[in-house]
Amino acid sequence: MAADVHSLAPEVVVEFFAKIMPFKELDHETLHGMARHVKVDFFPKGTRLFHAGETTISHLLFIQQGGVKSFITDDEGEVTLKDYRGEGDYIGALGIIRGTKASLDVETVEDTFCFLLPQAIFLDLINTQPGFSQYYLKSFSEKFVGTAYAELRRHKMTRRGDENLYLFSMQVGDLVKKPLRKASADSTIQQAAQQMATHRVASLLIHQPGRPDEIIGIITDRDLSSKVLAPGLAYTEQVRCIMSSPVASVLSQSTCFDALLKMMSCSIHHLAVERRGKIIGVITSHDITLIQGVSPYSLFKEVGKQQKIPDLYPLSKKIPEMIRNLIKEGAKSGNISRMISILNDHILERLLTLLEEEIGPPPVPYCWLLMGSEGRREQTFKTDQDNAIIYADPKNEQQAKEAEEYFSRFTRKAIDHLVECGYPLCPGEIMAVNPKWCQPLSVWKGYFKDWVSSPDPQEILHATIFFDFRSGFGKASFADELRQYLSDLTERHELYLLHLANQCLAGKAPLSFFRNFIVEKNGEHKNKLDIKHQGLTPFVNFARLLALRHGIKETNTLARLHVLAKENIIDESLWVKAVDAYEMQMQLRIIHQLNQLEIDAEPDNHVAPDELSELEKRMLRDAFEVIDRLHSVLKTMFPTP
Amino acid sequence: MLSLDPPHPVLQKNRVQFLDFHQGAPLAEYSFVVCDTELTGLNKRKDEIISIGAVRIVNLQIQLDQTFHRFIRPVNINPNKATLIHRITPEELKKADPAEEVLPQFIEFCDNSLIVGHFVGLDMYFLNKTARQVLGGTLSNPGVDTMRLARRYKDSGQTDHYGHHDHASAYNLDALAKEFGLPAFKPHDALEDALQTAYLFLYLIKKFKDGGINSLKELYRAGRILH
């Protein structure tokens, strides 16, 4: 009798396991039997639970309360966030089943209580309980394999059938199947071609003569046809004449998605794969297309092929569906908005190229500027047009008139086509079709000078859109020149920056209210949270302000923060926290908008905190804590007199 | 109450276990029994223990397979008082074993562990009072008080919670569990309270670790009771 009493599993454990899969399927006796073996441990926030490749996993951990993040740290110390897990989630199953050490780094992001199920008991369940091994093996493809924000997706997205996860789960190192083929830069073109034929490879890495480890270039079969056969170059020339150099490379641990982004943004088809400072092979866009099926890359290629502008309309409308798939595969928000930007840029480039062909070349060179979120490469689904044109200062009256006429016609057509492509008009009329925003470079400089030297609060607000400009098409050097001009201006105008800082601080979120809102489950506040203005804008404003102050030319918020940390303008820990907080909120926003698109609603930024999971709420609350820290940094930098 | 008989064998063994007790080892090497008692009331002279709940902590992990939960038949059953808070019915108490049967089991369960409790002095007082009456001696297990630990923890300013820090806030178990955001248990059930205390204890010693509590000696300085 006494023994029974001592070994009865406490209710709390049984209740916990009776609610989660696959334990809820267990019969009463088995459930109580396993629950008796459970231990409780507590890990304060910031405790490292697993070290990838080092930790031997003795227990399967179930989060009773709290949350953890898993991440990968690569050879260069770069950290990639993989997943957040919260209440009811488990950690460590893969390692136990495979009998390997931990494959990810895991750290608590909250004070976390875990139930510990000893390895032996868990393995026994796997071996004896129908459905157990299937459950855990199936969820590996969903959870373990490099998917970020698994919880967000599980709550927000209903999965449609079995989708491929390869783009995010596979590391490029896994794609390198063939041994590395290389040739010395002083070998002849013919020798190189022979080597390619013998090994049946379509590319060859080129190394420094006498130093086989020093890769300096690459040749592909396309180089042979376009640089040798077509121009009739002698086969006896050195291969270095036709190689592309330097070789773009990716780290072997990068995901295929990252490699794809790199290929798309640089318009290249081959990437060298690097492991611990050594090139181990080459991957091609074809390799990635093969594992992907219908890929973002094929959409990208389709766009480039079109010869008529209206044929671009349906292609651009495919972007949301493609993004949807990417999110399901576990893309992080940073990746998603980069991908959206690349595709939008590509469509714009094709569209304007075709338009120039249609109405004839411009009388003076110009640069199509992208501004606002497009300028920052931070678009989600709702992408208003924010654009403008800078053109070269006309030489005389005549040319000025020609330019005005040309660009007026050009922009009107361009903007209409863009609307057809699904980019709505900018309500503030910040568009190239507005004559005010289609001006010669010298006029643009004048605009910026006026804004910076006469800070009227209304103007400041207005101007923030313009500060995030970048070149979208055409002569990028105009944008660069304007950027340089602006940097020189703002670095000198501390007073202007002070005004901007005040503006940032004035936009402070109602934090105390928000805290209660987040904590109280049944509050009477049915208000939704404007995640863009209250949550994301403070980060954007902060990064922009400090970028202006320190002459940083990046326009992307994450990139600006990165530079700020690298140059020790903000400290490392703040950077890490800010990036986490910003990405997490972007992710919430994207998923929110995706859900709206699914029910044919207009995407907006109003998220209902009630519908968030506990972990999301806590992460959101943490994000708002970071805003507080950003503001106190601002207050220190710009003390009010 | 002075008795010339030797104490109950379980107490003799208990005493021997602590004859050369060392305080120098790291915390993780000790085992703890976190316990809670339910009483008929707080009158030190008249009132009695009616239930004991306890759970063991080994390797700084709560061992859920090592719990103890028993009702004790009091000498004077006063139904009104007993049912009021603990929801233990007089029938349950009438069916329960008397202290002379339950207490030795509890002392065996405690074995060589340290006893941890919330305001543990009160529990120890009644445990020792009963032990003297029915077993002819007292327990030798040193005790650790989570209430004192919590006070030390809050005074040290290590709390990093987002809530406002109300320094006058209550130190009762529920209030602390809420303030630190611990998983909640049903109050006024000896085992659930013991579990709640165990969670609090685990929370405190782990949050304290970097703040200087790594060995038993340090823990003692923070949460010692006198007995």
Side-chain angles (χ1 to χ4, degrees), chain A residues 42 44 111, chain B residues 153 158 160 203-210:
Chain A
F42 169 72
D111 284 343
Chain B
Y153 178 67
Q158 283 190 38
D160 58 354
Y203 176 88
L204 288 171
I205 53 176
K206 296 220 174 181
K207 292 293 260 188
F208 247 132
K209 252 188 163 176
D210 298 325

Side-chain angles (χ1 to χ4, degrees), chain A residues 180-199:
Chain A
L180 180 65
R181 303 292 177 194
K182 56 190 172 187
S184 171
D186 59 5
S187 48
T188 67
I189 291 171
Q190 183 162 31
Q191 284 168 334
Q194 277 167 351
Q195 204 177 334
M196 286 164 77
T198 315
H199 298 303

Side-chain angles (χ1 to χ4, degrees), chain A residues 555-572:
Chain A
T555 57
N556 180 269
T557 300
L558 291 174
R560 281 170 168 168
L561 291 171
H562 193 185
V563 177
L564 289 170
K566 262 204 326 215
E567 296 186 357
N568 287 323
I569 297 161
I570 58 173
D571 69 55
E572 173 103 6

Side-chain angles (χ1 to χ4, degrees), chain B residues 117-163:
Chain B
H118 200 67
F119 199 35
V120 73
L122 187 69
D123 300 288
M124 291 302 273
Y125 174 86
F126 280 96
L127 282 171
N128 279 329
K129 184 178 104 168
T130 316
R132 255 194 308 270
Q133 285 166 353
V134 301
L135 306 174
T138 57
L139 281 75
S140 303
N141 308 58
V144 178
D145 188 4
T146 49
M147 188 186 285
R148 280 167 183 261
L149 278 183
R151 204 182 292 270
R152 272 286 295 271
Y153 178 67
K154 289 216 272 184
D155 287 348
S156 73
Q158 283 190 38
T159 48
D160 58 354
H161 286 265
Y162 306 114

Side-chain angles (χ1 to χ4, degrees), chain A residues 302-312 350 354 357:
Chain A
E302 278 299 296
V303 168
K305 271 196 234 156
Q306 298 313 314
Q307 296 301 325
K308 286 193 234 107
I309 295 177
D311 292 344
L312 292 170
R350 192 73 202 136
L354 291 171
E357 285 172 12

